[in-house]
Amino acid sequence: HHDHPYLRLLEKMPCVPTGRTLKTGRQTMLPHTPLTSTPPENAMIDNQRLPQHIAIIMDGNGRWAQARGMVRSKGHQAGVEAVDKITSECSRLGIRFLTLYTFSTENWNRPPEEVNAIMQLLITSLVEETFMKNNVRMRVIGDRERLAPEVRKCIEDCEKHTSENTGLTLVIALSYSSRWEITDAMKHIAQKVKDGTLEPDDINEQTIAENLESHFMPDPELLIRTGGEQRISNYLLWQCAYSELYFTDIFWPDFDEKALYNAIEDYQHRERRFGKTSAQVKADTGLQQTV
Ligand code: FPP
């Protein structure tokens, strides 16, 4: 299956997002015009080798609040400020996609007061003007059917109104889990087989990627988890197959621009091999530089 022409194409052009729509021949390349692409003077990051997609597991809001003798929802409130800060900075750097794990399928099991507080916070934080001002396109991935109608309406309006923006795409994973997403994709694929529009033998990795709800985004090169745990917690399991993982003890409300540069700097020191040997990778990079 690695010989599939799409996969070869994608390997050569990692910035082309995969899409459900590829099959029908519709244009899937999202336009992108970063604001600027200048890292601050003191940051040791190379703006030529920035990841195009950063995914974040924002953990530690509750512990941040508890450490200050506050209720957990205060931690989520402070978390929104970190979301603002990191979204602006990614946008400024010219990162194309930022995917934030905002509420997992498992989070529905939290006390109803906390669930409500997070949902309310979400509604008040998704301020369209801010997205418009910053040219940010907002998308949600997750099981919308479980969301309250007013939350659903809010995100759908926001998605619609920001859909033409060409800066950063901010992807909010809400009522999301990777196993849910993959299961949902399997249902779509099974239906196509049942309808006779798809042969089981024709199913390949691209078919699965195209049927994921997150089909519009390229795989993240960098996955950051704050809050000290070292787990993936059912987040982007398919998409993170080759992602570099970065864990920090910093609680999400304290994660700032400097912490983001540290993560990017760490990522830039790693060698991404995709199963090849180090010598092959070095030869490939050498080749690219001479072409
Ligand atoms: C994890 O911390 C965080 C969450 C479950 C919620 C994250 C939500 C926000 C930051 C608000 C969303 C707003 C926007 C605009 C995206 P935790 O509560 O699990 O912390 P703990 O591990 O310390 O208990």
Side-chain angles (χ1 to χ4, degrees), residues 58-64 66 72 75-76 79-80 83 100-103 107 110 114 118 121-122 125-126 172 251-252:
M58 310 182 285
D59 198 14
N61 290 347
R63 280 167 288 157
W64 181 92
Q66 276 156 356
R72 294 176 55 85
H76 299 314
V80 172
V83 167
L100 302 177
Y101 207 1
T102 302
F103 193 84
N107 286 154
R110 291 199 175 188
E114 187 173 339
I118 295 177
L121 207 53
L122 194 75
S125 315
L126 295 180
I172 310 248
F251 291 146
W252 175 249

Side-chain angles (χ1 to χ4, degrees), residues 163-181:
S163 66
E164 307 278 296
N165 289 345
T166 56
L168 175 82
T169 300
L170 174 65
V171 185
I172 310 248
L174 187 65
S175 187
Y176 176 88
S177 81
S178 193
R179 288 185 177 179
W180 167 81
E181 186 188 28

Side-chain angles (χ1 to χ4, degrees), residues 4-46:
H4 192 278
Y6 275 147
L7 287 178
R8 255 185 283 131
L9 193 73
L10 288 166
E11 272 165 22
K12 286 217 187 85
M13 301 193 298
C15 31
V16 178
T18 60
R20 252 186 250 238
T21 45
L22 262 184
K23 262 188 123 167
T24 61
R26 262 200 284 144
Q27 177 64 268
T28 54
M29 171 101 94
L30 298 167
H32 179 238
T33 47
L35 298 174
T36 63
S37 189
T38 30
E41 310 266 306
N42 57 348
M44 301 292 288
I45 58 179
D46 174 359

Side-chain angles (χ1 to χ4, degrees), residues 59-221:
D59 198 14
N61 290 347
R63 280 167 288 157
W64 181 92
Q66 276 156 356
R68 285 163 179 74
M70 301 192 252
V71 290
R72 294 176 55 85
S73 56
K74 289 279 173 207
H76 299 314
Q77 247 172 49
V80 172
E81 283 168 41
V83 167
D84 263 359
K85 237 185 251 177
I86 297 306
T87 307
S88 311
E89 194 52 26
C90 284
S91 163
R92 210 186 63 81
L93 286 173
I95 308 285
R96 293 189 63 182
F97 290 85
L98 175 65
T99 304
L100 302 177
Y101 207 1
T102 302
F103 193 84
S104 70
T105 307
E106 292 73 24
N107 286 154
W108 285 115
N109 299 321
R110 291 199 175 188
E113 312 81 67
E114 187 173 339
V115 172
N116 286 337
I118 295 177
M119 292 298 162
Q120 278 311 312
L121 207 53
L122 194 75
I123 293 183
T124 51
S125 315
L126 295 180
V127 184
E128 236 169 75
E129 289 89 61
T130 318
F131 292 139
M132 297 313 285
K133 206 171 67 203
N134 295 301
N135 195 18
V136 169
R137 170 179 20 224
M138 199 280 290
R139 301 278 302 246
V140 167
I141 53 170
D143 187 359
R144 291 170 194 234
E145 288 183 9
R146 295 185 71 174
L147 298 172
E150 67 272 21
V151 178
R152 221 160 123 172
K153 170 134 187 15
C154 167
I155 60 175
E156 277 166 8
D157 287 349
C158 192
E159 280 179 315
K160 210 186 298 159
H161 297 145
T162 63
S163 66
E164 307 278 296
N165 289 345
T166 56
L168 175 82
T169 300
L170 174 65
V171 185
I172 310 248
L174 187 65
S175 187
Y176 176 88
S177 81
S178 193
R179 288 185 177 179
W180 167 81
E181 186 188 28
I182 295 171
T183 307
D184 184 63
M186 292 311 130
K187 286 185 193 162
H188 286 291
I189 294 170
Q191 189 63 49
K192 285 174 193 166
V193 172
K194 190 178 170 203
D195 295 345
T197 58
L198 180 65
E199 287 296 323
D201 268 351
D202 292 336
I203 297 174
N204 55 30
E205 291 186 12
Q206 189 62 31
T207 319
I208 296 171
E210 281 168 12
N211 282 280
L212 293 173
E213 205 199 358
S214 61
H215 63 88
F216 59 87
M217 62 191 204
D219 290 345
E221 294 96 326

Side-chain angles (χ1 to χ4, degrees), residues 39-50 93 257-258 260-269:
E41 310 266 306
N42 57 348
M44 301 292 288
I45 58 179
D46 174 359
N47 63 356
Q48 298 304 308
R49 293 188 307 117
L50 289 170
L93 286 173
E257 292 88 345
K258 181 77 183 71
L260 176 71
Y261 308 143
N262 285 343
I264 296 176
E265 196 183 323
D266 192 278
Y267 158 82
Q268 290 185 335
H269 286 119

